[in-house]
Every structure is written in structure tokens, then in C-alpha cells.
Amino acid sequence: MSTATLPSTPQAAPLSIGPIPLSVPVVLAPMAGITNTAFRRLCREYGAGLYVSEMITSRALVERTPESLRLITHHESETVRSIQLYSVDPTTAGEAAAFLAGEGLADHIDMNFGCPVPKVTKKGGGAALPWKLTHFRNIVEATVKAAGDIPVTVKMRKGIDADHLTYLEAAKAAEGAGVAAVALHARTAADFYSGTADWDAIGKLKESITSIPVLGNGDIWSAQDALRMVEQSGCDGIVVGRGCLGRPWLFGDLSAAFRGEEHKAMPGLGEVADAFRRHAELLVEFFDDEAKACRDIRKHVAWYFKGYAVGGELRARLAAVESLQHMDDLLGELDRDAPYPGEAAEGQRGRAGTPKKPALPDRWLESRELTGASRAEVTAAELHHSGG
């Protein structure tokens, strides 16, 4: 793969998540429908890091649903098995963590308190839940206790909106509960994915939390963005989500940058096509169903070929691919010698959306405690939605 020479950068300090040492301070953010075993394996082929599973609801895991058990399955090459749990109930969260620990199914558990999806927040889950600080603390404490020697981390947002920030108090509560690290997506639920991530908030969190690592998340589209975040905020590591969509080689860039090496991937169209094909192969193995794998890879077409000389008609056909042979025929129509197009292939991936008023349970903001009426809303919140 073609690379560019970048200015040399200082080597990053090592990072450990509990007993787990990371050679570079880089974490793949959980993304529903994206960070399955296939995508994690592909990213690992390009660079080092901690690669976290799709979000799994604790209730589904406790009930041993076939889909949840499939999603927590790791390939033998995944030497650190990292699973993200979503929960709204201390008992269920503890039971799910105990299951993972007792069956030896995970080496690291991350907890999702950052989901901004209205279906979740309107029932008091995701980014809305840390507002009920005692309830939040109880969930985290139950998970840490049940996990035993498995390190538990927490990922959260700044809060519900600018007037209802929760991240500093919630992070302190999580630190006190014994988590191994906290990660902040520097937006509120109201921000959704719009605007610019508030890296200064990550810096404030780093100043407040001193006994465990603080990780930053938001607007990391390149390795240079990651280095700037660390320099600006002082955070101990970075969490990358949408920036790696269609660009698994970003983890190679990140690994090199944090090691102080001069490297930036500039893949030509043929190299992008090969990565896309490799992703599909791994999806076939993951689903054990070629047709299902091809349906899944369709959503990645726009991300992989962003900025490249691929006509709209061919893009549309790739987004309707039916088999690996069909894919090979379509990829054969590409000009494999077409070079890396520069800035056109870089920058934001995924939809940013616009700020919106968060959907919350009735009278949710009137108290920081979970009342009987609110508790009924929260019990219905364990739905499978994207993390934040």
C-alpha cells in the first residue's frame, strides 16, 4: 500500500486497561452492525489496538439468546476478547458480567452509557442514564463486582444537553466503583453526531480523573487528529469510531503515529478493492452464509470508495452485490491503477445529522434519583441500538 512521509512524532506512553497492556493507545469504538468479528479481524490486520465488539444487551445475554451468543463469539486470532454491554439494571448487568466471567468468554468488558438514539433515551437508557447518578453507580458497581478479575471500562457522553451535563460526576462515580478506564465521546445526546466534538471536555475529565486512564472519542478522522486530541486534552488514549468506516488501514496509520513512525496509507483503487473483498470474505466466515454476508457488505460500499473514481452506476451495482463471484465481476471493472485521490477520500464518514432535543421519560430531569415511575420506564430500555 502506498504511504506518505509524515513528520516524526514522539512515541506515545504505554497504556494498560487493568492488566491488559496495549502497545498503542488505540481502541475501536463499538458500532452496531459494524464491529463484528469480521471487521475487527480486518482492522487487526492493519494495526494494533483494542477492538471492541458490537453492543450486546445484558438482558439478551442473560437470556442466552442465539444472536447474543453469536455476537460475543471471537475468532481464535482475537487475543484480547473485548465485549461491550448495554444495561439499565444492576441485577441484569451483574448477571451478564458473571456469565462472561464464569464461562471465560471475555478478557475485557466495556459498558455503554453513550447511546443517543431516541428509542433508548426516551426510556432512560444510554446517554440519559447517568443523570440518575445513584442508579448509574449501582449498575457499574454490580458489573465490576461480578466481572472479578476482568477489567471493566465505561464509555459515556458529556450528558443529555448543555444544561444537563453528567460526565464529570459519572466518571468520578465509575472511578470509585473500580472501573479500569473511562472513555468520553465529547458530545451530548442532544448533539447526536453533529458539530464539532468538544475536546476541551476531554481535558477537563482528564484533570478530574487521576487514578485510571481517560480515553477521548469524537472527530478522529486521521492519525494526525488522534495526536492533536492527545496533545490538546492530555488524554491517555483515543477511541475511533466512524473515522475507520471503509478505512481499516487507519489503524496502521494510528499505530505508526503513536510509535513516532513516519507513515500514512494512501491506497490506490486496487488496494481499496482488495480490502473490500477481504472484508466480504471475513463476513462470509462470520455469518456462514454468503448471501447474508453480501447483503451486509453493501452498506460499506460508499465508505470504501469515497472519493475514488468509481462511477455512480457501478457503485449502485456494488451496493446490490449478491455473491462473491458477482463482487469479483464488478470489482474487475475498476481501474485498479487509479491512484489515491487525496483529500477527497479523507474526512468525515457516516451521517452527522443535526442537533435535536433528546427524547426522555416524562419528568426525567426533575430529579437525579430514579423514582418508581421512572424505574418502570427504564426496565423497558434494553434494546439493541448503536453505541454513542
Side-chain angles (χ1 to χ4, degrees):
M1 180 174 289
S2 300
T3 60
T5 298
L6 299 176
S8 181
T9 55
Q11 186 169 349
L15 172 67
S16 292
I17 303 298
I20 302 172
L22 302 182
S23 59
V24 294
V26 174
V27 178
L28 168 65
M31 292 179 281
I34 303 292
T35 57
N36 50 40
T37 299
F39 188 67
R40 298 195 306 266
R41 288 175 64 191
L42 181 64
C43 292
R44 284 173 183 271
E45 291 176 3
Y46 286 91
L50 181 66
Y51 296 93
V52 188
S53 77
E54 297 180 69
M55 185 180 75
I56 313 294
T57 65
S58 295
R59 179 182 298 173
L61 203 55
V62 169
E63 294 174 353
R64 312 291 196 269
T65 66
E67 180 65 3
S68 68
L69 295 178
R70 187 178 71 84
L71 289 175
I72 65 170
T73 301
H74 286 75
H75 187 264
E76 60 184 11
S77 65
E78 297 186 85
T79 53
V80 177
R81 299 162 302 164
S82 182
I83 292 174
Q84 188 184 66
L85 291 180
Y86 169 87
S87 186
V88 296
D89 175 71
T91 299
T92 307
E95 289 175 351
F99 169 65
L100 293 174
E103 298 296 323
L105 297 173
D107 303 304
H108 163 238
I109 295 172
D110 184 53
M111 302 196 71
N112 182 312
F113 294 102
C115 183
V117 174
K119 277 187 178 181
V120 170
T121 59
K122 75 177 182 180
K123 294 181 179 177
L129 196 144
W131 178 254
K132 305 298 187 182
L133 186 60
T134 300
H135 188 62
F136 167 83
R137 180 186 292 111
N138 290 341
I139 292 172
V140 177
E141 286 179 347
T143 305
V144 170
K145 181 178 180 180
D149 294 334
I150 296 175
V152 175
T153 58
V154 164
K155 185 168 184 278
M156 64 183 71
R157 284 192 173 225
K158 288 170 58 182
I160 293 172
D161 55 33
D163 295 323
H164 301 90
L165 300 178
T166 57
Y167 71 106
L168 293 175
E169 290 174 302
K172 276 290 187 184
E175 182 183 31
V179 302
V182 292
L184 178 66
H185 183 160
R187 288 181 169 90
T188 64
D191 293 330
F192 213 68
Y193 294 96
S194 66
T196 302
D198 179 11
W199 290 0
D200 287 341
I202 300 171
K204 291 178 183 177
L205 183 60
K206 176 59 182 172
E207 292 175 356
S208 176
I209 302 299
T210 58
S211 69
I212 55 175
V214 170
L215 310 179
N217 177 221
D219 293 352
I220 296 176
W221 311 111
S222 69
Q224 291 306 304
D225 289 337
L227 295 178
R228 286 192 303 106
M229 177 188 278
V230 171
E231 181 179 7
Q232 178 177 327
S233 70
C235 65
D236 301 290
I238 62 97
V239 180
V240 60
R242 293 175 297 151
C244 68
L245 295 176
R247 289 193 302 174
W249 46 85
L250 177 58
F251 288 96
D253 289 354
L254 290 164
S255 294
F258 279 115
R259 288 170 173 152
E261 299 169 0
E262 301 176 357
H263 176 280
K264 174 177 169 49
M266 299 190 302
L269 185 53
E271 293 165 311
V272 173
D274 290 343
F276 181 74
R277 178 59 161 77
R278 173 64 174 159
H279 192 167
E281 291 174 0
L282 293 172
L283 284 169
V284 171
E285 185 176 336
F286 172 63
F287 287 115
D288 195 25
D289 183 327
E290 184 171 337
K292 189 171 184 178
C294 287
R295 289 194 297 271
D296 192 79
I297 196 67
R298 293 171 184 174
K299 63 175 173 274
H300 296 268
V301 171
W303 298 326
Y304 272 101
F305 297 104
K306 179 180 185 289
Y308 287 85
V310 180
E313 188 270 339
L314 181 52
R315 288 174 186 266
R317 285 191 287 150
L318 280 167
V321 67
E322 298 177 351
S323 67
L324 292 182
Q325 183 58 58
H326 185 204
M327 178 182 292
D328 290 339
D329 293 341
L330 295 175
L331 294 178
E333 297 181 28
L334 298 174
D335 176 7
R336 290 184 57 86
D337 295 327
Y340 167 73
E343 286 301 314
E346 300 294 331
Q348 183 170 309
R349 341 286 281 188
R351 295 180 180 178
T354 57
K356 59 193 72 179
K357 183 178 179 180
L360 299 169
D362 186 43
R363 303 173 69 176
W364 185 255
L365 297 177
E366 292 182 3
S367 171
R368 298 300 302 271
E369 297 301 318
L370 192 65
T371 64
S374 298
R375 192 177 299 276
E377 293 269 12
V378 168
T379 58
E382 283 204 15
L383 301 175
H384 196 342
H385 290 282
S386 177

